[in-house]
Amino acid sequence: MMILGVYATLGIFLIAASRNPLAHRSLIWFTVWSSVVHAVIMAIQAMGDPMERGHLVGDVPALLVVAVALAVLTPRGPARVCR
């Protein structure tokens, strides 16, 4: 339930960020990279535990599809300079 709560919250913020994606690139890229890391860790754990192998055909590909879709669809714009 905890991870569902985290992802539901993240989804709400991503929907809000979609209105102005250039202003929210850091949130979008956090989602991309955290999804990749989550998928890799889940895949490693699933390979080590036969009871968790179902994640290799369900959750892992889903996380990677989301990461790739967000990475491809995120607009590129001029880099912001932090001051």
Side-chain angles (χ1 to χ4, degrees), residues 1-14 30 34 38:
M1 291 304 290
M2 186 182 308
I3 197 70
L4 290 176
V6 169
Y7 277 118
T9 304
L10 180 59
I12 291 167
F13 277 86
L14 284 171
F30 168 79
S34 65
H38 188 160

Side-chain angles (χ1 to χ4, degrees), residues 45-60:
Q45 289 179 333
M47 285 187 253
D49 184 354
M51 296 296 293
E52 300 296 327
R53 296 266 161 85
H55 292 295
L56 293 173
V57 295
D59 299 331
V60 171

Side-chain angles (χ1 to χ4, degrees), residues 8 10 13 20 33 40 56-57 61 70 73:
L10 180 59
F13 277 86
N20 187 359
W33 286 108
V40 169
L56 293 173
V57 295
L70 283 174
L73 295 173

Side-chain angles (χ1 to χ4, degrees), residues 15-46:
I15 290 168
S18 70
R19 293 186 184 122
N20 187 359
L22 283 175
H24 299 94
R25 281 184 291 184
S26 62
L27 173 64
I28 296 167
W29 284 107
F30 168 79
T31 305
V32 169
W33 286 108
S34 65
S35 295
V36 170
V37 169
H38 188 160
V40 169
I41 291 170
M42 188 178 288
I44 291 168
Q45 289 179 333

